[in-house]
């Protein structure tokens, strides 16, 4: 349901939040070269942002920083931007899988064969 460019943005946001260099590197490369997301949108994704109201509503709903606590304002904004029930359901599942792979790759200290993208310093 959710197109590949949006899924990659969601994965980038989650990897950024979880400080997972491996997943951030992989999804940035895949986002750029397979999903054809431009460099500005890849950077926006690291902050749970996106251009356009529909594209911006999805990362706002999945943003790991809120730990699943979505306010009524965000939900209403998503609905107004045309986000469907199916997209909402999918946007909940994507971060769950991404968090699992982030934590696994951080714990395993997985060798990074992707062009390295380091998480921003969170403070």
């Amino acid at each position: 349901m959710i197109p590949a460019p949006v899924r990659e943005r969601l994965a980038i946001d989650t990897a950024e939040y979880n400080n997972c260099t491996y997943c951030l590197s992989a999804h940035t490369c895949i986002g750029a070269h397979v999903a054809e997301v431009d460099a500005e949108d890849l950077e926006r994704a690291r902050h749970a942002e996106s251009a356009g109201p529909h594209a911006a509503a999805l990362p706002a709903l999945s943003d790991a920083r809120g730990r699943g606590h979505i306010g009524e304002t965000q939900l209403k904004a998503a609905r107004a931007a045309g986000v469907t029930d199916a997209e909402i359901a999918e946007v909940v599942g994507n971060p769950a899988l991404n968090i699992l792979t982030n934590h696994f790759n951080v714990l395993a200290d997985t060798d990074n064969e992707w062009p390295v993208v380091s998480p921003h310093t969170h403070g």
Side-chain angles (χ1 to χ4, degrees):
M1 168 83 7
I2 294 176
V6 176
R7 283 194 311 268
E8 292 306 318
R9 288 183 190 107
L10 297 174
I12 289 167
D13 171 47
T14 305
E16 175 69 39
Y17 181 75
N18 288 310
N19 292 307
C20 181
T21 301
Y22 181 86
C23 292
L24 183 58
S25 301
H27 289 289
T28 299
C29 187
I30 294 166
H33 299 290
V34 177
E36 299 179 346
V37 178
D38 69 42
E40 285 183 22
D41 276 342
L42 292 171
E43 183 58 32
R44 280 190 200 105
R46 295 175 75 169
H47 307 282
E49 299 170 355
S50 186
H54 186 267
L58 293 171
L61 290 177
S62 75
D63 185 13
R65 292 156 185 78
R67 301 199 185 268
H69 299 282
I70 303 302
E72 188 65 28
T73 302
Q74 287 172 296
L75 190 55
K76 284 182 180 180
R79 296 265 189 225
V83 175
T84 66
D85 286 342
E87 289 173 317
I88 291 170
E90 191 172 342
V91 89
V92 169
N94 271 327
L97 293 173
N98 290 327
I99 290 167
L100 175 68
T101 59
N102 293 167
H103 290 197
F104 177 82
N105 285 306
V106 168
L107 177 66
D109 194 23
T110 305
D111 289 338
N112 191 353
E113 70 273 10
W114 303 94
V116 176
V117 178
S118 296
H120 296 303
T121 303
H122 301 284

